């Protein structure tokens, strides 16, 4: 059980570090879409707010889905390494 606890703590600290680095990087940006994606990551994955509640803050559901998809594409290489790179 102790080994499992250590593995879980390691994974959580890794994810938290990746998410915080991404949020810091995008918050410093002057592009509004980047700031929205950082806010989306912070609210949905770090604070645990439900997606249905987050969608209400967007002017259009289409914008929410676009930001979410771009966020996941940008985070994949950071989380999965070379396996997260999408080749067209």
């Amino acid at each position: 059980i102790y080994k499992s606890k250590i593995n879980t703590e390691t994974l959580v600290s890794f994810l938290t570090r990746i998410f915080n680095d991404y949020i810091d990087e995008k918050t410093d940006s002057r592009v509004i879409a980047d700031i929205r994606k950082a806010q989306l990551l912070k609210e949905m994955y770090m604070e645990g707010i439900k997606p249905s509640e987050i969608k209400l803050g967007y002017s259009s559901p289409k914008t929410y889905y676009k930001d979410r998809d771009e966020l996941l594409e940008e985070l994949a290489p950071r989380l999965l390494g070379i396996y997260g790179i999408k080749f067209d």
Side-chain angles (χ1 to χ4, degrees):
I1 294 175
Y2 181 74
K3 185 176 179 182
S4 175
K5 179 183 175 187
I6 297 295
N7 289 341
T8 303
E9 289 175 351
T10 304
L11 179 63
V12 169
S13 70
F14 170 74
L15 291 175
T16 304
R17 189 175 66 247
I18 295 286
F19 290 170
N20 284 331
D21 289 347
Y22 182 85
I23 289 169
D24 291 342
E25 177 185 319
K26 294 301 179 178
T27 304
D28 293 340
S29 173
R30 294 180 187 252
V31 179
I32 294 172
D34 288 344
I35 296 171
R36 277 196 324 252
K37 287 185 268 186
Q39 187 68 26
L40 178 66
L41 177 65
K42 186 176 184 180
E43 290 176 352
M44 188 180 297
Y45 295 107
M46 298 188 81
E47 296 174 3
I49 299 175
K50 295 180 182 178
S52 59
E53 295 173 9
I54 294 174
K55 277 194 274 188
L56 297 176
Y58 278 84
S59 59
S60 167
K62 188 175 183 180
T63 307
Y64 164 77
Y65 290 115
K66 180 179 179 247
D67 285 349
R68 185 197 63 185
D69 292 344
E70 288 178 2
L71 171 67
L72 294 175
E73 283 183 18
E74 291 176 10
L75 281 176
R78 294 173 187 233
L79 295 172
L80 304 172
I82 193 157
Y83 299 108
I85 297 174
K86 182 178 178 183
F87 296 104
D88 291 329

